[in-house]
Amino acid sequence: MGTERFRDKQIKIWTTKKEKQQLEKNMRQSGYGTMGGYLRKMGLEGIIIKVDFSEIRGTFGEIYSLRTELNKIGNNIN
């Protein structure tokens, strides 16, 4: 009769070879001995920084439109 695990739910993920190598490197640099411990810590307490570029995209769209109009004017002059 086996002992019951404290953590009894399993999660599996798929990675590329390069992603796995990066995860292993990050794990070693952080001082964790196991991938499960590292991923659990990062998943539960890690910080993700999300930058909202929506305002900048609008500005770039306006600049692109202006450039297009200037090109049309230049083509008409030529």
Side-chain angles (χ1 to χ4, degrees):
M1 308 212 173
T3 60
E4 286 196 34
R5 292 176 171 262
F6 174 72
R7 293 184 176 92
D8 60 350
K9 304 298 179 209
Q10 184 180 44
I11 299 173
K12 293 184 181 184
I13 64 168
W14 290 91
T15 66
T16 64
K17 182 178 180 180
K18 190 173 182 177
E19 289 170 335
K20 185 177 180 203
Q21 290 171 341
Q22 185 65 50
L23 285 168
E24 289 169 342
K25 179 182 174 187
N26 293 351
M27 178 193 75
R28 285 190 303 274
Q29 289 177 341
S30 69
Y32 275 84
T34 65
M35 183 62 69
Y38 169 73
L39 292 174
R40 187 170 31 260
K41 181 74 169 176
M42 290 303 294
L44 295 172
E45 299 177 22
I47 297 173
I48 296 174
I49 299 172
K50 183 178 178 183
V51 180
D52 181 12
F53 290 106
S54 60
E55 290 181 27
I56 295 172
R57 281 191 202 114
T59 302
F60 284 137
E62 292 170 12
I63 291 171
Y64 179 78
S65 297
L66 181 60
R67 188 191 77 174
T68 302
E69 292 301 318
L70 287 173
N71 284 343
K72 288 178 183 177
I73 292 169
N75 288 338
N76 285 337
I77 291 173
N78 288 336

